[in-house]
Amino acid sequence: MAAFTVASRGCRLLCGFRSLYKKFPPSHGGAVASARSELRCLPRLYSVGHVSVQERIDNKRKAALIGGGQNRIDAQHKRGKLTARERVELLLDPDTFVEYDMFVEHRCSDFGMEADHNKYPGDSVVTGQGRINGRLVYIFSQDFTVFGGSLSGAHAQKICKIMDQAMMVGAPVIGLNDSGGARIQEGVESLAGYADIFLRNVMASGVVPQISLIMGPCAGGAVYSPALTDFTFMVKDTSYLFITGPDVVKSVTNEDVTQEELGGAKTHTAVSGVAHRAFENDIDALLNLRQFFNFLPLSNKDPAPVIECQDPSDRLVPGLDTVVPFESTKAYDMLDIIQGIVDEREFFEIMPSYAKNIVVGFARMNGRTVGIVGNQPKVASGCLDINSSVKGARFVRFCDAFNIPIITFVDVPGFLPGTAQEYGGIIRHGAKLLFAFAEATIPKITVITRKAYGGAYDVMSSKHLRGDVNYAWPTAEVAVMGAKGAVQIIFRGKENQEEAEAEYVEKFANPFPAAVRGFVDDIIQPSSTRRRICRDLEVLASKKQTNPWKKHANIPL
Amino acid sequence: MAAYRVTPALQRVLLAWKHISFNSRCCIIASHAHYSTAYDLNEKTFDKILIANRGEIACRVIKTCKKMGIKTVAVHSDVDSSAVHVKMADEAVCVGPAPTNKSYLNMDAIMEAIRKTGAQAVHPGYGFLSENKEFARRLAAEGVTFIGPDTHAIQAMGDKIESKLIAKKAKVNTIPGFDGVVKDAGEAVRIAGEIGYPVMIKASAGGGGKGMRIAWDDEETREGFRFSSQEAASSFGDDRLLIEKFIDNPRHIEIQVLADKHGNALWLNERECSIQRRNQKVVEEAPSTFLDPETRRAMGEQAVSLARAVQYSSAGTVEFLVDSKRNFYFLEMNTRLQVEHPITECITGLDLVQEMIRVAKGYPLRQKQADIPINGWALESRVYAEDPYKSFGLPSIGRLNQYQEPVNLSKVRVDSGIQEGSDISIYYDPMISKLVTYGSTRAEALRRMEEALDNYVIRGVTHNIPLLREIITHPLFVKGDISTKFLPEVYPDGFKGHQLADSERQELLATAASLFVAAQLRSQKFLGNLRVSTSQQEQKRWELSVELEKGVHAVTVSSSGSTYTVELAGKSLDVTSEWNLASALLPVSINGTQRTVQCISRSPGGEISLQYLGTVYKVTVLSKLAEALSRHMPEKVPEDTSSILRSPMPGSVVAVSVSPGDTVAEGQEICVIEAMKMQNSMTAARTAKVKSVHCKPGETVGEGDVLVELE
């Protein structure tokens, strides 16, 4: 009751508790309240001098709600970060959070950890389930104010508990990471905890969507949990991901590097490709996560969600008729095409700053979530290289695992040549994208907007890889290579190269060679693309395709 | 493949065409035609006309040609090959690469196009070759009709000094003045006395308004003489002075004339074009609020007598400056179709292009002066792809990824040469369209203009609709109290967008909050999904915080159907709309007041950009909880811009005046950027050493590109 009074005084920190409290009594009716106070009075008569169980419950709850205490909360705020509970409250629909394991405490008895003042109810993580726009989600939020959010055996156990249940009921898991690393005092217990989580990450992979939002430090072994999840998002300036921090780097390799340079949001979204997107601050990140969550199905047994849509599915997009420039060497922005076609121009791009020569992300067509993959002619002519292949492959596999149809826009001049690419293993990495498209059994729609050259044509969700509907725009050129290169090979050493080039262009620089063979199903007017795709998706909604039985495939990793 | 490309495009043009004719039909029923529909197909003119222009004016000419049953030939540069005028024309010829001097000014290529297509006549539009006597001469030499006046008239009116002499001879009022050596101050006073005060004194050799002094009496004349003669001698080594009548608060009013080859000439009333920036017109209207019938007739008759004096045929415009006492003075004559001709067509019912074609073929005018009416009132706003917040308009470029003209509104005419998907490039004039509204009264035309501007969807380029809407609703403009100095006088510190009144601010806050709630509710509407919580009630009441222009407002919204009741600052506003989140236009009713707002963008983080009353406002809507927590969020330090010089617009670098290591003083020129015929000098924001230079002369730069970094 004491806790309740504090809550109603308006202490925001306690809102989580208040909402939990509401869950149990059907209402705040007077009868319930009085019954409760009678209950509370009884033991007091018989246990004079002792704190009653109810008071102990209240005290524990109260302690759990303020985590590491007001000073540490203030310090957290000063760093520009919200507390674990504030984050949960902002992410979930109001009054929907149901907390688990508020009373769990760590079990370490070394180094004075057993002392009462070193015990925090709930330990350094808040776990439970709740709703985002009415849909179920499991969530854990690491509490930096308790031992720097470090991972104890109990902490890991709490996370494992909600992951197990999420798998059982089929609901996504969102992790809000803000942890200094392992609880060193616990030694191997802590390491075991990490491994328990990793195992569950792997088991849940492809069963329920897993999302990590890095909202503080995340170092050492801890980084492998986000790395195993489907999406890793970061908060700019306040979050870091690295195997070893700048100090260790200095002592081992003698490199001078700041935390931000080593593992900040910019590094991981633009250079390493570890993170899928970064947001301005905690609030921006959590609100974006709510939006992102709406694109995802709850599990691999659920269909891609369909949301009410006001954008007419038969809308013509006249701007697309002129979007591809006449000169085939001139660049254009693939995002112009994507935004023109999808519902309400809304496109949630994944990895917008990494391997920009391929664009991937989520959108909706007639309300239904789709995954979009497109070559980006604006960057490196939209060629496929190591990074773009890996980026595309991982995205395609996510969509395939979670029943999200894929729409592929093709304008690809081929794979990027050069020693850097060959030495880096473009063959191995390019094969990943090929593998991903080929094994995918979700509806696959492909639109060739301009170039589809060479092996890259095959890779980009071609008819040959079980593309369900493949379209070409009138500007499409499906060929082994561009005219110049082809002529140099076919007519090597011959005169009249220009004439030969013109002949080649006439023969191959158009959609007919592919269309007459049925490798594209139709040549469509660009402005009608949205209408066509929306119709096709309706048809393909009942598509059923299975791959041969296997333990698992052997994607070239 | 070519055929495949053209066919649907043509279909679209035809569709658009149907729409236009439907509109004019409506207007006839309402007894107001945008222009005459009397096209006598038996009156033989030309079989084929080539339009030596691009953009909206080319489209405008083609429209009339189609009505007259004339085939059309478009010319275009290579970047314009899918432009609207190319699609509208029956034939199209590429005349060169993008730069105008290699394409639209390339006479050889255009002559070749004429020969190849067998066009019998050429309509030059405005700009480009429209007042080029050499072009007219070459056409005449090949026996091709130039749809415009004779070479003689073009030449006579093309020369500033000669045109004034001819005007004087034709008894047209010219600005009284003296140009020559003035002996002493006494003589200056005498000359000033003859002209009549106020007078303007400056060195003849000084261009433009440089070193110009205004004298209102003898004493000031003496002083002005002293300064100007000193300056004339020292700066220019040329003693001559110019003493001229100074026209205070002048208006720019022009008379449309129309003459045939049989000595008939008409004046088609005036156009008020005083609203200008950098001598370019922005808003025009016809008739002028300022002219009385006598002045109008006097101006019209003088304009006609000037036209007669040069044996003018075709449509032309005589420009006058008009002072506050309705004295008017000849400025110049434009021997072509003007940009702003549609407003004259609206009030007179004539199709000027048709008349030009008829006259060029040698037909006499069908109207007498008494037949020329002033029916109603017409306004024209020039919609430009430019940023009105930078010196009333610096060019911007980009792709129109969404574009919707308000042509579904009645009595609205939009002359444009672009469509959704078009590129506004650095090569040509950044005009998007001419938006014309018409009404039986000025108030009606103004009201329609407001509505039309609100319903105009332009995305992908920065445009000047905020400025246009402010001008046409400004009390001085509404009263008709304007001059050519309107913009600098009304916005001495530059245009800053619409300034919200309290009630407007509340409307905007309420609309933003309602839109936020509508979007939130919609994001919970999953179809056919059985796994959405059913015990969760739809939220009916929302406590929000709305931030606008650094002010944070606590707001509560209660929803009932499509109406949201917004309570803020003790007031209650009912906001009703269909809340179509996919539409670019969002018509809302706020406590019964109808408004059309446009949602430019909506981010998951609660930032909403709304175009309201023409201006785009950035509003942030957060739940009360998120707002309370946002005070913990770190301030992001914006980049220090005083040490980085960025290009304010896309263009090409003409000159770079510094190199790394130089020390520059505050205000010193660093480089010159040219865009769309305008040179802009970029200056240092503070005194500093140049750290690095990132541009070279001749390079093309985009908006926001770093030009020079200072230490």
Side-chain angles (χ1 to χ4, degrees), chain A residues 287-536:
Chain A
L287 294 179
N288 267 284
L289 195 49
R290 280 180 65 85
Q291 184 104 341
F292 175 68
F293 188 78
N294 261 15
F295 284 105
L296 307 180
L298 295 179
S299 76
N300 61 352
K301 298 237 170 64
D302 290 281
V306 183
I307 215 161
E308 189 183 275
C309 170
Q310 288 155 316
D311 203 350
S313 63
D314 58 354
R315 172 170 60 87
L316 291 180
V317 194
L320 295 185
D321 286 337
T322 53
V323 71
V324 176
F326 274 82
E327 306 91 316
S328 68
T329 48
K330 214 171 145 196
Y332 60 94
D333 192 347
M334 190 55 88
L335 286 173
D336 281 340
I337 295 180
I338 296 170
Q339 281 166 349
I341 285 176
V342 302
D343 289 358
E344 298 177 20
R345 310 184 64 79
E346 193 189 340
F347 179 55
F348 193 98
E349 195 174 347
I350 299 294
M351 299 179 111
S353 336
Y354 180 78
K356 292 193 219 168
N357 39 351
I358 200 163
V359 175
V360 301
F362 295 101
R364 294 189 181 88
M365 294 294 279
N366 203 13
R368 186 191 312 268
T369 299
V370 292
I372 306 267
V373 179
N375 307 113
Q376 172 59 287
K378 226 175 72 170
V379 181
S381 307
C383 71
L384 287 176
D385 58 6
I386 294 171
N387 291 347
S388 60
S389 299
V390 175
K391 171 178 166 182
R394 181 146 175 79
F395 181 76
V396 169
R397 295 196 95 210
F398 175 82
C399 292
D400 186 40
F402 291 101
N403 317 315
I404 299 171
I406 289 187
I407 301 165
T408 309
F409 294 97
V410 184
D411 186 349
V412 63
F415 283 97
L416 183 66
T419 50
Q421 290 293 312
E422 295 292 358
Y423 295 174
I426 177 69
I427 298 174
R428 192 157 53 87
H429 297 293
K432 291 176 185 173
L433 185 58
L434 172 60
F435 199 108
F437 270 124
E439 72 171 343
T441 55
I442 30 94
K444 289 187 283 193
I445 297 173
T446 309
V447 181
I448 301 173
T449 60
R450 192 166 64 180
K451 290 172 214 163
Y453 286 168
Y457 153 73
D458 288 337
V459 170
M460 293 302 294
S461 195
S462 63
K463 197 80 197 164
H464 324 287
L465 302 183
R466 303 191 292 184
D468 296 301
V469 182
N470 292 56
Y471 291 124
W473 282 6
T475 40
E477 308 169 13
V478 186
V480 175
M481 56 172 76
K484 211 169 192 142
V487 167
Q488 275 169 10
I489 295 169
I490 306 175
F491 301 96
R492 193 190 296 272
K494 289 215 177 118
E495 282 169 30
N496 267 342
Q497 293 273 321
E498 259 171 51
E499 206 176 281
E501 215 175 295
E503 191 192 332
Y504 186 90
V505 167
E506 173 68 29
K507 270 209 175 113
F508 289 139
N510 57 58
F512 295 117
V516 294
R517 288 166 177 82
F519 298 158
V520 296
D521 301 299
D522 198 359
I523 305 170
I524 60 169
Q525 193 59 22
S527 52
S528 70
T529 310
R530 173 177 166 81
R531 194 180 62 190
R532 300 291 292 253
I533 295 178
C534 284
R535 279 189 197 171
D536 295 332

Side-chain angles (χ1 to χ4, degrees), chain A residues 12 77 80 93 133-134 169-170 237 280 283 288 294 302 306 308 310 319 322-323 326 336 344 474-475 523, chain B residues 1 4-5 399 420-421 522-527 531 533 536 579-581 604 625-626 630 632-633 636:
Chain A
R12 219 178 11 263
H77 284 158
D93 295 345
N133 289 317
V169 302
D237 303 325
E280 287 308 313
I283 293 176
N288 267 284
N294 261 15
D302 290 281
V306 183
E308 189 183 275
Q310 288 155 316
T322 53
V323 71
F326 274 82
D336 281 340
E344 298 177 20
T475 40
I523 305 170
Chain B
M1 197 169 87
Y4 190 84
R5 272 181 171 230
R399 182 173 185 274
E420 190 168 302
R522 208 272 305 261
S523 64
Q524 296 165 2
K525 290 199 180 121
F526 291 94
L527 305 180
R531 297 196 55 195
S533 170
Q536 216 169 317
W579 303 113
N580 183 337
L581 301 169
L625 170 72
S630 67
H632 300 306
M633 294 298 102
K636 302 274 168 172

Side-chain angles (χ1 to χ4, degrees), chain B residues 311-458:
Chain B
Q311 281 128 46
Y312 197 87
S313 68
S314 191
T317 298
V318 181
E319 296 188 340
F320 292 97
L321 279 185
V322 182
D323 73 10
S324 51
K325 297 188 185 62
R326 293 195 180 81
N327 297 311
F328 57 90
Y329 306 97
F330 171 71
L331 209 57
E332 61 177 346
M333 180 169 186
N334 296 316
T335 57
R336 54 170 157 85
L337 187 65
Q338 296 272 97
V339 176
E340 59 273 22
H341 74 274
I343 50 176
T344 298
E345 293 183 330
C346 282
I347 61 162
T348 59
L350 292 176
D351 178 341
L352 286 177
V353 174
Q354 184 204 8
E355 297 304 331
M356 287 175 82
I357 295 171
R358 289 185 67 253
V359 166
K361 185 65 186 176
Y363 289 109
L365 294 177
R366 294 172 295 187
Q367 300 82 4
K368 299 267 170 288
Q369 188 62 49
D371 303 335
I372 305 302
I374 300 185
N375 277 336
W377 215 287
L379 284 159
E380 175 182 282
S381 293
R382 296 197 191 181
V383 181
Y384 278 105
E386 54 182 29
D387 183 350
Y389 298 99
K390 293 178 187 164
S391 29
F392 300 117
L394 282 190
S396 98
I397 57 166
R399 182 173 185 274
L400 288 164
N401 48 39
Q402 266 182 299
Y403 182 74
Q404 216 173 293
E405 292 173 351
V407 283
N408 57 331
L409 304 177
S410 73
K411 295 184 186 176
V412 171
R413 167 176 167 182
V414 183
D415 281 23
S416 72
I418 45 123
Q419 61 186 9
E420 190 168 302
S422 292
D423 262 316
I424 307 279
S425 72
I426 58 166
Y427 299 110
Y428 310 112
D429 188 79
M431 188 157 82
I432 295 173
S433 80
K434 304 185 304 204
L435 177 61
V436 179
T437 60
Y438 177 66
S440 52
T441 62
R442 186 168 185 261
E444 192 187 329
L446 276 171
R447 187 175 54 70
R448 291 223 161 90
M449 182 60 84
E450 248 179 76
E451 202 184 338
L453 287 168
D454 284 342
N455 283 279
Y456 206 142
V457 178
I458 304 170

Side-chain angles (χ1 to χ4, degrees), chain B residues 148-163:
Chain B
D150 294 338
T151 323
H152 159 73
I154 297 177
Q155 178 158 11
M157 291 295 112
D159 186 302
K160 287 223 162 166
I161 297 168
E162 198 189 338
S163 69

Side-chain angles (χ1 to χ4, degrees), chain B residues 557-570:
Chain B
V557 182
S558 342
S559 67
S560 94
S562 59
T563 297
Y564 297 117
T565 305
V566 182
E567 276 162 65
L568 74 149

